[in-house]
Amino acid sequence: MLLVTLAKFSIVFLLSELKQPLKAMQYARTTPRFFRIWKKLSTRMGFEPTRAEHNGLAVHRLNHSATSSHVLHVSRCSTLALTFKAKMVDSQYYLPNDIGISALDCGEAFRLLSSQEKMYAHYLSRAAWYGGLAVLLQTSPESANIFVLLQRIFRKQTPAQLEQVATKVGLSSEEYKAFLVYAAGLYANMGNYKSFGDTKFIPNLPKEKLEALVRASQAFQDQPADMEALWKSCSCPLYSLEDRQKQLGLGDKGITTYFSGNCCLEDAELAQRFLDSKKLSAYNTRLFKKDNGGKACYEVRLASAVLKDCAVDGECESCCGNFSFEDKEFVVKRGDYSPLMEKVSYNLQQAETYAANENQKKMLKEYQRSFTLGSIDAHKEGSRYWIKDKGPIVESYIGFIESYRDPFGSRGEFEGFVAVVNKAMSERFAKLVGSAEVLLPELPWPREFEKDTFLKPDFTSLDVLTFAGSGIPAGINIPNYDDIRQSEGFKNVSLGNVLAVAYATKKEKLTFLEEKDKDLFIKWKGPSFEVQVGLHELLGHGSGKLFVQDDDGKFNFDRSKVINPETKEKVSSWYRGSETWDSKFSTIASSYEECRAECVGLYLCLSKQVLSIFGHEGQDGDDVVYINWLSMVRAGLLGLEFYTPESKSWRQAHMQARFVILRVLLEAGEGLVGLEEVTGEDGKPDARITLDRSKIHTVGKDAIHRFLCKLQVLKSTADVEGGRALYEGFSTVSDSGAHNFMRLRETVLLRKEARKMFVQANTTVNGDSVELVEYEGSVAGLIRSFTERFQGDAEQLEASLLDLSKRDAPCWCC
């Protein structure tokens, strides 16, 4: 009875004290364990027990479990949980003020280019930057409006000038820094959802203070009516953290602008069947479901400069029109992102003048046709010329490329990059390409499951000049068109100046490792990742055969002889006609393929021949292998940040893949990988990962061998059911079994570090020469780079973005 009375008193006291977050934190440290019971109760209510912040002040939920003696207090403690939750916003929806920001250095590489090459790079960069603005419209309904709001503010006042205004309207220095970090984050991610993880981020300062700053800005003073309308159009969604708006997703699982708000998974599947029937790719499309007299009508919209749906110059017939399919009406239309695609095409035409050879000229002509007409076939033709353009000094690629952020996994996000070859590092990758035909047979699947001929690709290390899109990867293997990759080839690139800064690690920020591993990790993380990227891109994404029956009934494998090594029976399933890897495996395709490529990297890095190519011999080679595998299992644990318990879904393909690999290696047993929950030196929950390096070549290799073979066989045979069962099984995050991954997720979120942002240079034409404009690696530098990027036509461009956003605004309501 005394216990109950004390508990009641404590709850009342806490309810009043939690109005002040700092007191809540101090009280949490001193309250006896039996009073601190809301953590588990709130988890049962569906809340995420994670690190949180309120007005810039970090508040941590308590880390003690409830016991059976607390059952009497469920009602009161649920109220407490709700009150406590209401006082805080989870820190995963903020970008911290100390977020890392680095400038991508390409100055020396650019200066070594000829005048012609600089002009070529300049116009390709302009095309990429203009096209990259489409990502705002591909991300969320409000992203374009927020972008325009920020551009107008910072075109009138630099961050330094605006700071004086912020001080006058009552913002603290930390609050103003939070605003700048938010602005930089929106530019770096091309929208208000993280490119890596797909969670929303909001400004880490009160809404009323941001509104005061906006209204006091010079931009607002000069155009009060326009700025008022712009603020009203985006201020609510800018801060909203309603459940559906917390992450990207389809239907009630999140926000997407690849589909209208009334679309669900069944609509996406129906549309894919329709596209397959018309032999249309989904890469450059969006889907809008509309009501036509009580009957559902689907609009498939193609990204193109041309608005006409009839055949135009250069076309035999148009793919546009009205169609009936499965008792539903479909209309295929052109004109998505039209003003942006027009600018992309124009700048590609300008670049053509400075092309180095016929392959580049033909490539650019096809790209222009693709962005003008909305033709993926033209883009594929351009990609064929791109593959033939071996060893260019200025490398580039542009288009609707990666399907990671489409909830259905078929539509491509726009990206474009321009980069300069790093000759020294490229020599190593060339040696790896030369060894590929020796290394491929070492992979664990039968010869029949490998491509008939390995088409040696270009593999170069590049210093990025421009990477327009939602984020910058470390390496790329493209094109993504299966038919081209299987029979004509592909290219690999490693982005050297990204690798140089993205994965630099400070010892004090290294989480979840034993102290004895940290110095070795810092020393070899970069070199080991370089090896992993090379193997992942070239022999991961570049390996494996898809069994296909074409439209004429012809098979690309011998059905009478090829045996499935998992079932010991003849292969009984395959891809038919226009079916592709993405269209068949849809929602798991991206992550599954990243997992397969990561496993290839782990498996082949054990080869002394591979290590020697990268200059690692003896003990150094052993250390590179150890850190590569240790990095992977640590990344698997870190991947829990990107899992959403409420929807039981993953928000990032690569991190899901790494978690799957962690699960595989944990299940291998025999002490290969250890994962333990501990208490950190700060008294908060922590975890420790260990890897027995003596068992990597035995237990570890055997586990990856078995798993990798299964992944490839299921992929080759188009066994969607088997592939889903395997992959989703290892992707499961639960609170039962040997490891409580749900609780470990709390720990990961408690100790997570924000992903770095990059500042990129601009190029300007001055007479007959091109100048490189570089910026400092800071929030101010990142903001300045964007405001100067579109100076020549800023007002026209912003008006176009607002028009495009306004036109589709009614489509996002469910």
Side-chain angles (χ1 to χ4, degrees):
M1 186 64 183
L2 177 61
L3 178 62
V4 174
T5 303
L6 285 170
K8 288 180 179 178
F9 173 79
S10 279
I11 291 169
V12 172
F13 176 74
L14 279 170
L15 282 167
S16 63
E17 289 296 280
L18 285 176
K19 293 175 183 176
Q20 302 176 57
L22 181 59
K23 285 189 178 182
M25 243 168 55
Q26 293 168 339
Y27 192 75
R29 295 191 187 107
T30 58
T31 307
R33 182 172 184 261
F34 57 82
F35 294 141
R36 290 179 272 171
I37 60 182
W38 60 79
K39 176 200 165 213
K40 189 165 183 178
L41 292 166
S42 60
T43 303
R44 289 173 183 161
M45 294 291 290
F47 302 137
E48 298 180 25
T50 62
R51 183 180 172 186
E53 291 183 8
H54 178 62
N55 291 347
L57 179 62
V59 180
H60 301 282
R61 297 196 186 174
L62 305 179
N63 300 298
H64 295 273
S65 301
T67 66
S68 58
S69 63
H70 302 134
V71 173
L72 291 172
H73 312 301
V74 169
S75 178
R76 293 181 184 276
C77 295
S78 296
T79 303
L80 178 56
L82 288 166
T83 304
F84 194 51
K85 177 76 174 181
K87 300 293 180 185
M88 305 186 304
V89 177
D90 199 313
S91 71
Q92 69 177 310
Y93 305 111
Y94 289 133
L95 299 178
N97 280 6
D98 63 351
I99 191 170
I101 301 179
S102 297
L104 286 182
D105 180 15
C106 63
E108 184 62 25
F110 186 80
R111 281 185 282 274
L112 292 173
L113 297 178
S114 68
S115 296
Q116 179 182 340
E117 290 163 346
K118 287 179 180 177
M119 281 289 190
Y120 183 64
H122 167 74
Y123 284 110
L124 289 175
S125 292
R126 298 310 300 160
W129 285 124
Y130 282 122
L133 294 174
V135 178
L136 294 164
L137 300 161
Q138 290 181 299
T139 299
S140 72
E142 65 273 10
S143 285
N145 292 36
I146 300 171
F147 176 86
V148 173
L149 178 74
L150 294 172
Q151 286 289 86
R152 290 183 177 177
I153 289 172
F154 288 117
R155 275 195 290 112
K156 291 289 185 179
Q157 293 169 292
T158 66
Q161 292 168 338
L162 191 64
E163 186 171 13
Q164 299 172 29
V165 178
T167 302
K168 286 180 182 178
V169 297
L171 272 71
S172 68
S173 60
E174 284 299 298
E175 288 170 334
Y176 182 63
K177 178 70 180 293
F179 166 64
L180 295 183
V181 166
Y182 176 80
L186 186 118
Y187 289 136
N189 292 277
M190 269 290 97
N192 60 336
Y193 285 76
K194 296 175 187 176
S195 65
F196 201 86
D198 292 346
T199 51
K200 189 173 186 176
F201 58 95
I202 66 173
N204 191 10
L205 72 158
K207 181 179 178 180
E208 59 271 18
K209 289 201 172 185
L210 177 54
E211 181 174 0
L213 177 60
V214 170
R215 292 182 180 281
S217 69
Q218 190 61 50
F220 200 100
Q221 303 306 308
D222 292 349
Q223 295 180 300
D226 288 349
M227 289 294 285
E228 176 77 30
L230 190 51
W231 170 252
K232 284 186 176 179
S233 73
C234 64
S235 59
C236 287
L238 190 149
Y239 271 93
S240 175
L241 282 177
E242 293 180 11
D243 285 346
R244 184 167 173 259
Q245 294 181 337
K246 288 179 179 179
Q247 64 281 316
L248 299 180
L250 182 58
D252 59 2
K253 291 189 175 181
I255 292 294
T256 181
T257 50
Y258 287 105
F259 299 86
S260 56
N262 56 352
C263 284
C264 62
L265 181 60
E266 288 73 20
D267 297 309
E269 291 170 339
L270 171 66
Q272 187 62 58
R273 293 195 298 274
F274 166 74
L275 291 170
D276 288 343
S277 75
K278 305 301 292 182
K279 292 184 169 50
L280 280 174
S281 170
Y283 270 118
N284 66 340
T285 71
R286 293 196 289 172
L287 184 70
F288 297 84
K289 183 180 179 181
K290 300 181 178 181
D291 183 84
N292 184 14
K295 187 175 182 179
C297 177
Y298 296 90
E299 178 186 312
V300 176
R301 196 184 298 168
L302 308 176
S304 70
V306 167
L307 294 169
K308 294 179 180 178
D309 294 331
C310 57
V312 296
D313 291 344
E315 278 190 309
C316 297
E317 60 177 334
S318 173
C319 62
C320 301
N322 295 287
F323 307 92
S324 181
F325 180 79
E326 294 187 12
D327 199 33
K328 299 289 191 300
E329 296 301 314
F330 277 84
V331 55
V332 180
K333 299 177 65 108
R334 287 194 177 108
D336 217 1
Y337 324 119
S338 176
L340 303 179
M341 296 301 102
E342 187 176 350
K343 288 182 176 292
V344 171
S345 296
Y346 170 79
N347 281 281
L348 291 175
Q349 185 178 22
Q350 298 302 108
E352 193 182 330
T353 306
Y354 303 98
N357 54 56
E358 283 303 306
N359 278 324
Q360 288 183 0
K361 289 179 181 179
K362 291 176 179 177
M363 169 189 81
L364 292 175
K365 282 186 183 297
E366 292 297 336
Y367 287 166
Q368 290 169 57
R369 194 161 71 91
S370 174
F371 298 125
T372 300
L373 304 179
S375 169
I376 289 296
D377 284 341
H379 194 269
K380 290 170 78 170
E381 196 62 29
S383 297
R384 290 184 170 98
Y385 288 117
W386 179 69
I387 292 168
K388 294 174 185 176
D389 184 28
K390 302 288 187 182
I393 300 300
V394 177
E395 184 62 281
S396 68
Y397 197 64
I398 189 169
F400 295 87
I401 311 300
E402 302 293 355
S403 57
Y404 299 130
R405 300 182 92 189
D406 168 16
F408 190 67
S410 295
R411 288 152 189 80
E413 184 176 77
F414 192 97
E415 69 179 44
F417 77 84
V418 184
V420 182
V421 171
N422 179 322
K423 292 183 178 179
M425 182 55 68
S426 295
E427 287 178 7
R428 296 184 186 177
F429 291 131
K431 290 180 182 177
L432 187 63
V433 172
S435 303
E437 289 173 289
V438 177
L439 295 170
L440 280 170
E442 293 186 20
L443 291 171
W445 47 80
R447 176 68 188 86
E448 294 83 3
F449 286 73
E450 190 49 68
K451 293 172 186 169
D452 300 332
T453 305
F454 180 72
L455 301 166
K456 289 186 178 181
D458 251 11
F459 196 166
T460 49
S461 177
L462 307 174
D463 285 343
V464 171
L465 169 64
T466 295
F467 206 113
S470 65
I472 308 178
I476 316 170
N477 177 285
I478 38 183
N480 285 333
Y481 306 119
D482 290 334
D483 51 344
I484 295 178
R485 294 171 62 82
Q486 291 284 313
S487 59
E488 299 175 57
F490 52 89
K491 280 187 181 182
N492 294 277
V493 297
S494 173
L495 304 180
N497 57 344
V498 176
L499 283 169
V501 295
Y503 298 97
T505 309
K506 294 181 180 179
K507 187 174 181 178
E508 60 271 20
K509 291 193 173 184
L510 265 183
T511 52
F512 310 131
L513 295 180
E514 291 189 306
E515 282 299 317
K516 66 182 181 64
D517 284 329
K518 289 184 177 180
D519 288 333
L520 201 65
F521 189 94
I522 290 169
K523 179 179 179 179
W524 293 110
K525 171 61 178 173
S528 69
F529 193 67
E530 182 181 274
V531 173
Q532 180 69 12
V533 167
L535 294 170
H536 173 115
E537 300 297 347
L538 175 66
L539 300 173
H541 292 313
S543 65
K545 181 174 182 173
L546 302 183
F547 295 150
V548 178
Q549 180 186 18
D550 64 22
D551 290 329
D552 297 325
K554 185 180 178 182
F555 291 86
N556 69 344
F557 67 104
D558 190 337
R559 289 178 61 199
S560 65
K561 293 182 179 178
V562 179
I563 301 298
N564 183 324
E566 297 297 314
T567 64
K568 310 303 181 187
E569 298 175 354
K570 291 179 183 178
V571 167
S572 57
S573 58
W574 47 82
Y575 299 84
R576 301 171 190 271
S578 59
E579 290 179 343
T580 66
W581 162 249
D582 279 335
S583 69
K584 285 288 285 183
F585 282 74
S586 63
T587 54
I588 67 165
S590 292
S591 184
Y592 187 113
E593 175 59 13
E594 294 304 331
C595 186
R596 195 184 69 87
E598 292 283 45
C599 286
V600 168
L602 286 180
Y603 194 78
L604 290 181
C605 81
L606 302 176
S607 164
K608 292 191 181 298
Q609 181 179 354
V610 167
L611 295 170
S612 178
I613 288 170
F614 286 89
H616 307 305
E617 308 277 1
Q619 184 60 47
D620 286 354
D622 291 343
D623 288 343
V624 165
V625 168
Y626 176 60
I627 295 305
N628 194 35
W629 279 62
L630 183 62
S631 296
M632 187 62 69
V633 294
R634 177 175 180 263
L637 179 61
L638 295 176
L640 287 168
E641 175 189 344
F642 303 94
Y643 177 76
T644 302
E646 290 83 357
S647 59
K648 296 183 179 179
S649 62
W650 286 88
R651 307 186 310 273
Q652 215 293 319
H654 297 80
M655 300 312 283
Q656 178 183 0
R658 291 158 187 164
F659 176 77
V660 166
I661 292 171
L662 170 63
R663 288 281 311 276
V664 169
L665 295 177
L666 282 168
E667 289 194 13
E670 299 186 44
L672 172 67
V673 173
L675 175 56
E676 179 186 9
E677 294 183 69
V678 298
T679 300
E681 292 182 0
D682 56 5
K684 299 167 188 171
D686 207 340
R688 287 291 175 271
I689 287 252
T690 57
L691 173 68
D692 187 338
R693 64 189 298 165
S694 71
K695 295 178 180 177
I696 292 174
H697 284 266
T698 53
V699 179
K701 184 177 182 180
D702 288 347
I704 295 297
H705 181 287
R706 292 189 299 272
F707 185 62
L708 185 51
C709 185
K710 288 178 182 178
L711 289 175
Q712 182 57 50
V713 168
L714 293 165
K715 179 182 179 181
S716 291
T717 59
D719 185 351
V720 178
E721 185 178 344
R724 282 193 178 279
L726 176 71
Y727 200 68
E728 290 176 351
F730 277 107
S731 298
T732 301
V733 178
S734 72
D735 56 4
S736 59
H739 300 94
N740 188 329
F741 287 114
M742 289 295 288
R743 193 165 61 224
L744 282 164
R745 178 180 175 274
E746 300 173 22
T747 302
V748 169
L749 285 165
L750 180 70
R751 299 186 178 278
K752 71 185 179 74
E753 183 181 1
R755 196 169 176 83
K756 279 185 180 177
M757 298 190 290
F758 299 110
V759 182
Q760 299 183 59
N762 285 321
T763 55
T764 59
V765 175
N766 186 3
D768 294 330
S769 63
V770 179
E771 296 176 357
L772 185 73
V773 183
E774 297 179 279
Y775 304 90
E776 65 179 10
S778 65
V779 286
L782 203 162
I783 290 167
R784 186 180 159 213
S785 73
F786 266 88
T787 53
E788 294 184 3
R789 191 154 284 149
F790 305 105
Q791 282 184 120
D793 54 359
E795 291 186 6
Q796 176 204 25
L797 194 62
E798 289 163 12
S800 294
L801 284 170
L802 293 178
D803 285 345
L804 290 169
S805 178
K806 184 177 180 180
R807 179 190 68 178
D808 291 331
C811 299
W812 314 128
C813 302
C814 294

